[in-house]
Amino acid sequence: MILVAVAAYLWGVARVRRRGGSWPLRRTLGFLILGVGSYAVIELGFLGTESADLRFAFTTRIALLIFAVPAGVAAGAPLDLIVRAGGPAAEARVAALLRSRPVRLFGNAIFATIFIAAVFCLFLTPLAGVMRTTPWTDAGLGVITPLVGLAMVLPMGALGAVHTGMFITIEFLLAFVELVIDSIPGILLRLNDTVIDAGASVAGTAGWWPTPLHDQHLAGDLLWFIAEAVDVPILVILLVRWMRADRTEAKSYDDLSDEQYEELTRAHLRGDRAA
């Protein structure tokens, strides 16, 4: 995955330059370091190698794969790169993709709140132990989880012109609710004095190796912290989208002629009287 992602991105950058354009170095570095680099550190480092043995490594790994890695990839603006590298045909395909129902569903904070809360609630069930200790499931999560995160993160920065200002306002308010909802699974893991995960526990030889219950409490602490920390950039993205949508709507009113504006006002007043 790492080699394919790096090769595809650099091929896109080279294609943009062959077409006579330029691509910011900061975006390339953002994709390689924050996106692919963070994925490599998570999957090939401590969290990935100890994920099957430690509950806190498993929950932290999944949370970072669904939050941090997609955010790092988004810093490289891959959708913009596809448009720049492919020209008008690619731009039309990306626009059609963003207008599709699945992308619009994944790309709003309402769905993200419910979906991520549901994913985190799996850590409160014995299923978490099965996923953690089954090799093919654990490996599959390393591929599927960041892709699902990308499906939610990438459209968020590009749907400002698709969603109305009222819809984005609702998303913005719901994001504040998400601050509480996302933290509930972590809090429950931390406060529960019974090991919920039915997976096997490995007794490490190192002195710092936690007991099963302490392992679960650490998982709750880290899950709680990550869920709260990542809501801040989401709020920033929604704020930017709301500002863009507000400017777009304001411009649409400014472009109206006096006659069109008066007709719009009369239609609005007729609707108020009918209500």
Side-chain angles (χ1 to χ4, degrees):
M1 282 189 64
I2 293 173
L3 293 177
V4 170
V6 171
Y9 193 90
L10 295 180
W11 177 84
V13 173
R15 186 173 174 84
V16 169
R17 292 176 177 173
R18 285 198 302 268
R19 295 171 61 92
S22 61
W23 187 252
L25 178 60
R26 68 178 184 279
R27 289 187 176 180
T28 302
L29 294 178
F31 180 86
L32 296 178
I33 297 175
L34 300 179
V36 178
S38 64
Y39 179 80
V41 170
I42 293 169
E43 286 295 282
L44 305 179
F46 173 82
L47 296 178
T49 56
E50 301 295 342
S51 178
D53 298 333
L54 291 171
R55 293 169 178 83
F56 81 84
F58 176 71
T59 56
T60 304
R61 170 181 167 235
I62 297 301
L64 292 177
L65 286 178
I66 204 170
F67 282 135
V69 172
V73 172
L79 293 181
D80 291 343
L81 180 61
I82 292 174
V83 172
R84 296 273 297 277
E91 183 177 6
R93 287 194 293 268
V94 170
L97 178 65
L98 292 176
R99 289 194 298 267
S100 64
R101 288 183 180 273
V103 173
R104 295 182 66 179
L105 173 65
F106 272 80
N108 70 75
I110 298 174
F111 176 83
T113 300
I114 298 173
F115 182 83
I116 292 175
V119 171
F120 285 175
C121 283
L122 293 177
F123 298 139
L124 302 173
T125 69
L127 183 60
V130 176
M131 294 188 298
R132 177 172 60 86
T133 56
T134 305
W136 67 268
T137 304
D138 187 63
L141 289 174
V143 177
I144 297 173
T145 305
L147 294 179
V148 172
L150 283 172
M152 292 186 292
V153 170
L154 289 181
M156 289 186 69
L159 286 175
V162 178
H163 289 162
T164 63
M166 178 60 68
F167 188 89
I168 297 175
T169 302
I170 295 174
E171 285 186 308
F172 195 81
L173 294 175
L174 187 60
F176 283 98
V177 179
E178 186 181 8
L179 289 170
V180 178
I181 295 177
D182 285 351
S183 64
I184 292 176
I187 294 174
L188 293 178
L189 279 176
R190 181 63 179 86
L191 298 180
N192 201 307
D193 289 331
T194 302
V195 178
I196 302 173
D197 187 349
S201 299
V202 177
T205 57
W208 59 264
W209 200 270
T211 63
L213 183 58
H214 184 46
D215 187 12
Q216 177 176 289
H217 288 169
L218 288 174
D221 291 337
L222 292 169
L223 185 63
W224 184 4
F225 171 76
I226 294 172
E228 295 298 320
V230 298
D231 281 326
V232 175
I234 291 177
L235 290 173
V236 173
I237 292 174
L238 290 175
L239 178 61
V240 172
R241 285 177 55 186
W242 177 79
M243 294 173 61
R244 290 177 179 174
D246 184 66
R247 286 197 299 266
T248 301
E249 292 179 2
K251 186 177 184 301
S252 67
Y253 288 118
D254 292 339
D255 292 339
L256 294 175
S257 64
D258 293 339
E259 293 77 9
Q260 291 173 325
Y261 190 82
E262 290 177 2
E263 179 59 29
L264 182 64
T265 303
R266 286 195 295 268
H268 177 70
L269 292 176
R270 283 196 300 267
D272 286 343
R273 283 195 289 267

